[in-house]
Amino acid sequence: MGQNKFNTVLVTGGAGYVGSVLVPKLLDKGYNVRVLDLYMYGDGVLDAVKGNPKLQQIKGDMRDKALLEKSVKGCDAVVHLACISNDPSFELDPQLGKSINYDAFLDLVAFSKKHKIKRFVFASSSSVYGIKEVENVTEDMSLEPLTDYSKYKALCEEVLLKERAPGFVALILRPATVCGYSPRLRLDLSVNILTNHAVNNRRIKVFGGQQKRPNIHIDDVTELYVKSLEWPDAEIDGKVFNAGYENQKVMDLAETVKKVVGGDVQIDTVPTDDHRSYHISSEKIKRDLGFVPQRSIEDAVRDLVTAFRQGKIPDPMTDIRYYNIKTMQSIKMK
């Protein structure tokens, strides 16, 4: 087991956008890793590490209670990433979203306690705050989720904190929007969308532009989950932390993309009714745990540009694998 506090980690959603970057990092650290995922976006997402004897991949639905319990059994930590993962995907079928994001969560927590999971790390979302007028949105502010997706994230937080018990350590993280390259790439997230269009169309469309969006580089957010298994119980048990790099206006994100991709990229500004502006403070996690993101939005754009140039992102405009909502529609997920 080496210096690791835990032996076997269950990563739900381990073949997703964040999971496929996290799992190799956990294996590098010497953990046994068990992945439970539907593998909706392809069975080969973790091919780079599939020969690792410490990796176990379970293809299945966490709503299958018997499978879920079997997946939890024998693990001692859980990193829960699996969910229908953004507002439009959730709104496609709200009942489906609730069944995965909330109902299955209740079972996961119950099985985790039953099978003596020592640490449960929950990937919530900074969207749980809704829209706040204040500049720095801190963890003690009221939650005013605007959508079903964020409402169920907030409800899961409540459940987890209520179920917390001696020996069952619970940590809630509220990351900003993730950006950057992953083997299971999403091209339906703000920075990634802008970069894709800049590289492949040489034009980007900005709706409004003054709204703020917090982002975090995928390497930083996965580093955060790795560290979540290392921090002492007393420092994280029952705690909630925001995690973002910086809050930037959408227009500033577009300018960053243009700077990296090339001066010939045209930015078109389109009026919008959507003036939702999100901003979070990540001071608490810096102060209490010393966690500070190391990579900028510019780094994320650069990584994506490199991947495009190396041919790692074939058919970026048409392949539905890069777009959650299109994939869900095509497989008629129920």
Side-chain angles (χ1 to χ4, degrees), residues 15-21 40-41 45 81 83-90 149 153 176-196 218 300 304 308 313 316 319-328:
Y17 175 52
V18 171
S20 57
V21 175
M40 268 184 350
Y41 304 96
V45 170
L81 304 175
C83 66
I84 300 292
S85 69
N86 59 2
D87 295 334
S89 306
F90 199 107
Y149 166 72
K153 284 285 192 189
T177 302
V178 184
C179 57
Y181 178 75
S182 158
R184 194 265 110 167
L185 188 58
R186 286 184 62 183
L187 291 175
D188 54 4
L189 295 162
S190 49
V191 171
N192 298 5
I193 295 171
L194 293 170
T195 308
N196 183 23
I218 195 160
L304 286 164
F308 277 119
I313 312 172
D319 192 330
I320 62 169
R321 274 181 315 172
Y322 308 119
Y323 303 91
N324 284 8
I325 198 160
K326 289 178 183 168
T327 299
M328 285 171 62

Side-chain angles (χ1 to χ4, degrees), residues 69-136:
E69 180 163 20
K70 199 172 135 200
S71 303
V72 170
K73 207 172 171 181
C75 294
D76 44 10
V78 170
V79 177
H80 179 47
L81 304 175
C83 66
I84 300 292
S85 69
N86 59 2
D87 295 334
S89 306
F90 199 107
E91 283 151 20
L92 205 55
D93 183 343
Q95 272 318 105
L96 171 78
K98 176 178 181 283
S99 70
I100 291 174
N101 290 19
Y102 184 69
D103 302 339
F105 181 83
L106 301 178
D107 295 328
L108 177 60
V109 172
F111 291 141
S112 294
K113 288 180 79 174
K114 177 180 170 183
H115 292 291
K116 306 280 186 283
I117 291 290
K118 299 192 193 85
R119 183 168 296 188
F120 191 110
V121 180
F122 174 46
S124 184
S125 162
S126 57
S127 66
V128 292
Y129 297 110
I131 297 169
K132 303 281 192 218
E133 292 307 315
V134 294
E135 189 52 40
N136 287 306

Side-chain angles (χ1 to χ4, degrees), residues 12-292:
T12 67
Y17 175 52
V18 171
S20 57
V21 175
L22 173 62
V23 167
K25 288 187 178 188
L26 292 173
L27 291 167
D28 275 350
K29 290 272 184 180
Y31 294 101
N32 293 301
V33 181
R34 197 177 283 175
V35 170
L36 174 60
D37 200 294
L38 284 164
Y39 290 83
M40 268 184 350
Y41 304 96
D43 290 339
V45 170
L46 292 169
D47 275 1
V49 288
K50 73 172 178 196
N52 192 311
K54 287 179 171 285
L55 175 65
Q56 185 187 358
Q57 301 192 59
I58 301 168
K59 185 176 181 175
D61 194 322
M62 59 180 283
R63 294 172 296 175
D64 173 343
K65 289 191 188 194
L67 180 70
L68 183 63
E69 180 163 20
K70 199 172 135 200
S71 303
V72 170
K73 207 172 171 181
C75 294
D76 44 10
V78 170
V79 177
H80 179 47
L81 304 175
C83 66
I84 300 292
S85 69
N86 59 2
D87 295 334
S89 306
F90 199 107
E91 283 151 20
L92 205 55
D93 183 343
Q95 272 318 105
L96 171 78
K98 176 178 181 283
S99 70
I100 291 174
N101 290 19
Y102 184 69
D103 302 339
F105 181 83
L106 301 178
D107 295 328
L108 177 60
V109 172
F111 291 141
S112 294
K113 288 180 79 174
K114 177 180 170 183
H115 292 291
K116 306 280 186 283
I117 291 290
K118 299 192 193 85
R119 183 168 296 188
F120 191 110
V121 180
F122 174 46
S124 184
S125 162
S126 57
S127 66
V128 292
Y129 297 110
I131 297 169
K132 303 281 192 218
E133 292 307 315
V134 294
E135 189 52 40
N136 287 306
V137 177
T138 54
E139 291 83 350
D140 49 10
M141 288 186 180
S142 62
L143 304 188
E144 299 170 58
L146 296 172
T147 61
D148 280 351
Y149 166 72
S150 41
K151 180 179 89 179
Y152 286 116
K153 284 285 192 189
L155 285 170
C156 288
E157 290 188 10
E158 243 174 72
V159 168
L160 185 57
L161 292 176
K162 197 171 88 235
E163 290 297 324
R164 196 168 62 96
F168 180 62
V169 169
L171 169 63
I172 293 166
L173 297 168
R174 293 175 182 159
T177 302
V178 184
C179 57
Y181 178 75
S182 158
R184 194 265 110 167
L185 188 58
R186 286 184 62 183
L187 291 175
D188 54 4
L189 295 162
S190 49
V191 171
N192 298 5
I193 295 171
L194 293 170
T195 308
N196 183 23
H197 283 266
V199 169
N200 296 299
N201 292 338
R202 312 311 290 183
R203 292 181 94 102
I204 39 190
K205 202 177 269 187
V206 172
F207 294 89
Q210 294 309 300
Q211 319 92 308
K212 284 194 169 171
R213 291 287 180 271
N215 281 276
I216 187 167
H217 192 296
I218 195 160
D219 265 341
D220 282 319
V221 85
T222 46
E223 212 51 51
L224 174 60
Y225 294 125
V226 170
K227 287 196 157 73
S228 299
L229 299 172
E230 297 170 358
W231 284 312
D233 291 354
E235 289 184 18
I236 60 163
D237 192 16
K239 302 276 178 71
V240 179
F241 294 101
N242 292 339
Y245 169 70
E246 52 191 23
N247 303 293
Q248 289 189 337
K249 289 179 180 165
V250 177
M251 185 49 97
D252 295 338
L253 295 175
E255 294 287 0
T256 299
V257 169
K258 177 173 177 161
K259 185 175 124 188
V260 175
V261 177
D264 64 314
V265 171
Q266 192 173 325
I267 300 177
D268 300 329
T269 312
V270 184
T272 181
D273 300 332
D274 180 5
H275 297 291
R276 289 176 306 163
S277 194
Y278 297 107
H279 26 90
I280 56 167
S281 162
S282 301
E283 277 307 305
K284 181 183 170 189
I285 196 165
K286 177 182 174 184
R287 185 185 67 234
D288 293 5
L289 299 172
F291 179 79
V292 180

